[in-house]
Amino acid sequence: MATVSSLSAEELGSSAQRDRRHRILEATIALASRGGFDAVQMRAVAERADVALGTLYRYFPSKIHLLVSALARQFEDSQAVANRRPIPGDTPAERVQHVLLRATRALQKDPNLTEALTRAFMFADASVAGEIHVVGLQLTGMITRAMKGADYVEGEEPTEEDIAISRVISDVWLSALVAWVTGRSTADEVGEHVSTAVRLLLR
């Protein structure tokens, strides 16, 4: 019933299949927003998305695959909004801080959803490598665009240094979100932690 990894939108051949995948992710996000990680049950997702349970498993092999894919979808939506206008800030550090703090505030407005997505990211094992890779690419793209500012060229490959910096910043940010979700830090402390990491890496 399960497959190795989730089916991406690019792997689906018809608009009906892509629409079905979209409905599944929408249902997942709605359930997670209402009740957090535990509220996302595969049968409940299937019912809300109006798909057969077997179909859901063909698209997403497990709850963790499903939630990490939903996390990627959230980052994709955030990046699409951010790309509509120039990023404020005169330096790479200022622009990256702006982007990440804005994303942090958006996630903190929906704590149940953020709890579900970050827990899934924490629990993900090697079988979810493909979905984790997509999340990483989106974060790298978001941070690289902010670092480059007006010099960013759409489609241009980031340098190895850009990728390395983006990965470290992403790791710090996700770790800070986990600390907030688990009650080990406040919302303000998340912002301070991320800002400090960005300043040290991009000074």
Side-chain angles (χ1 to χ4, degrees):
M1 197 168 181
T3 58
V4 176
S5 61
S6 307
L7 293 174
S8 68
E10 291 74 20
E11 293 172 311
L12 299 174
S14 71
S15 58
Q17 289 174 322
R18 290 190 291 274
D19 177 68
R20 191 174 298 121
R21 184 181 188 276
H22 177 79
R23 292 203 318 272
I24 291 170
L25 290 176
E26 286 288 306
T28 301
I29 291 168
L31 288 167
S33 184
R34 187 169 64 187
F37 184 84
D38 293 335
V40 181
Q41 302 298 323
M42 296 298 270
R43 187 173 297 280
V45 172
E47 291 175 356
R48 189 178 183 98
D50 194 25
V51 300
L53 186 59
T55 299
L56 173 59
Y57 275 106
R58 283 196 296 274
Y59 279 69
F60 299 98
S62 74
K63 172 177 173 173
I64 301 300
H65 287 81
L66 182 55
L67 282 166
V68 175
S69 296
L71 177 61
R73 160 69 188 286
Q74 292 293 96
F75 286 156
E76 182 180 358
D77 289 348
S78 295
Q79 190 166 349
V81 172
N83 292 349
R84 293 174 188 165
R85 58 181 64 89
I87 301 169
D90 296 326
T91 67
E94 288 176 354
R95 291 190 295 270
V96 172
Q97 286 180 60
H98 174 83
V99 167
L100 290 181
L101 293 179
R102 181 178 56 194
T104 299
R105 287 192 295 271
L107 289 168
Q108 289 171 338
K109 287 178 181 177
D110 197 337
N112 284 337
L113 176 61
T114 302
E115 180 262 346
L117 299 180
T118 52
R119 279 183 65 181
F121 194 84
M122 289 166 55
F123 295 156
D125 58 20
S127 70
V128 197
E131 291 79 1
I132 294 291
H133 180 65
V134 172
V135 171
L137 287 176
Q138 288 173 342
L139 285 173
T140 296
M142 183 168 68
I143 293 170
T144 300
R145 179 183 286 270
M147 285 194 296
K148 300 289 186 183
D151 294 329
Y152 179 81
V153 177
E154 190 70 45
E156 182 178 73
E157 290 294 321
T159 66
E160 289 187 9
E161 182 176 359
D162 290 339
I163 293 172
I165 291 172
S166 297
R167 284 178 176 170
V168 173
I169 292 174
S170 297
D171 287 347
V172 170
W173 183 50
L174 290 168
S175 175
L177 284 176
V178 168
W180 175 69
V181 163
T182 54
R184 291 184 283 113
S185 68
T186 65
D188 288 341
E189 287 170 341
V190 171
E192 292 169 6
H193 193 52
V194 172
S195 293
T196 298
V198 171
R199 285 198 304 271
L200 290 173
L201 284 164
L202 294 176
R203 60 184 175 182

